[in-house]
Amino acid sequence: MSISISTTTIDALKNFLSINKSINIKPGNVLSTLSVNKNIMARYEIEEEFPREVPIYDLSVFIGALGLCQSPELDFTNESCLVIKDSVIKSKSKIYYSDPDLITSAPEKELEVDVADVSFTLSWENLLRLQRASLTYGVQDLCLYSSDGSMHMCVTDKKNETSNVYSIELGETDKEFCFCFKMENLKLMTHQTYDVSIHMGRVALFKSTSCNLKYWIALEPNLDK
């Protein structure tokens, strides 16, 4: 059996590579990944339907093989390897399957979360501004907090009281809270707006507003404001 693979799915695989260098694609139309430290999980419903399990130890090699094609087609006939064909340039690659036990894989069922403590929408433009500020100031703490009835998100260094800070106001709130991430853990697909919810002060769920793409990201210890 063979399937064509879209550029959108390839883009998702490239994003997932930033979370885990390996992936175990399960039968069906869902790509999922889990970081080795198990603090980042992602799940994306794709247009393709994979007919069998595809455990890939080196995802970068798989992505590179797809990049050699103009119109990649995946052939699952061989039990020991995935064959990548391109009918346009008449090429063929073989990617041998890994032992699934060597791969840190996401659970098959979607992670269930309780009622949200706080919810907000984070645009790609604001996320990009925060990422740029993090690089400019050399700080890695990303904090969501309330102040004077407003919700803010800032980048800072929690351990340095005189740290440079860049903040963006996200809306109004009647709650008191402070939730913190590590900027390096926000390995989100680009050019997406996300509906974000915080659950039990421990995990944040990022849901794309334009496609069925979700990330669960563990929070860091709180920053007192």
Side-chain angles (χ1 to χ4, degrees):
M1 180 177 178
S2 299
I3 63 170
S4 297
I5 187 164
S6 67
T7 55
T8 302
T9 298
I10 295 172
D11 287 342
L13 289 169
K14 290 177 180 178
N15 173 250
F16 283 14
L17 177 60
S18 69
I19 298 172
N20 191 329
K21 70 174 185 177
S22 306
I23 194 169
N24 188 9
I25 303 172
K26 302 296 178 64
N29 69 329
V30 174
L31 293 179
S32 60
T33 190
L34 178 68
S35 65
V36 174
N37 293 331
K38 299 183 178 180
N39 59 347
I40 309 168
M41 187 171 77
R43 179 182 176 90
Y44 183 38
E45 289 188 17
I46 58 176
E47 59 188 77
E48 299 88 353
E49 186 87 18
F50 277 73
R52 59 155 294 157
E53 183 179 36
V54 180
I56 303 293
Y57 185 76
D58 194 335
L59 179 54
S60 65
V61 171
F62 179 38
I63 293 170
L66 294 171
L68 295 172
C69 302
Q70 289 186 28
S71 180
E73 183 177 293
L74 308 183
D75 186 332
F76 301 91
T77 306
N78 195 310
E79 290 295 320
S80 61
C81 67
L82 177 64
V83 179
I84 305 173
K85 300 178 179 179
D86 188 335
S87 59
V88 177
I89 57 178
K90 310 297 183 183
S91 67
K92 182 187 295 185
S93 296
K94 290 183 179 180
I95 304 294
Y96 282 87
Y97 298 131
S98 168
D99 180 348
D101 292 338
L102 298 177
I103 298 172
T104 301
S105 300
E108 291 195 31
K109 290 187 177 181
E110 186 172 313
L111 181 64
E112 295 183 3
V113 291
D114 295 326
V115 177
D117 303 324
V118 178
S119 299
F120 63 98
T121 298
L122 182 61
S123 68
W124 170 245
E125 292 78 12
N126 277 342
L127 178 58
L128 189 60
R129 292 182 183 102
L130 290 163
Q131 289 174 334
R132 287 174 175 170
S134 172
L135 290 172
T136 299
Y137 296 154
V139 294
Q140 272 292 311
D141 294 312
L142 176 66
C143 299
L144 173 73
Y145 64 95
S146 59
S147 177
D148 298 326
S150 296
M151 184 186 311
H152 305 262
M153 185 167 263
C154 76
V155 289
T156 185
D157 180 353
K158 295 191 299 180
K159 296 180 179 179
N160 182 358
E161 292 184 356
T162 60
S163 167
N164 292 320
V165 179
Y166 175 82
S167 65
I168 293 176
E169 185 175 331
L170 298 174
E172 298 180 351
T173 182
D174 58 0
K175 299 179 179 180
E176 294 292 327
F177 56 84
C178 180
F179 302 109
C180 299
F181 307 83
K182 282 297 183 185
M183 200 73 200
E184 62 193 24
N185 290 339
L186 266 67
K187 301 181 184 296
L188 306 175
M189 190 175 289
T190 61
H191 301 99
Q192 301 281 334
T193 291
Y194 293 94
D195 286 333
V196 187
S197 52
I198 308 294
H199 301 268
M200 299 179 65
R202 297 173 58 189
V203 64
L205 171 59
F206 290 74
K207 296 194 298 184
S208 169
T209 60
S210 60
C211 62
N212 207 333
L213 170 67
K214 299 177 181 179
Y215 299 84
W216 292 261
I217 301 175
L219 273 64
E220 301 292 316
N222 277 347
L223 171 68
D224 294 325
K225 296 298 287 187

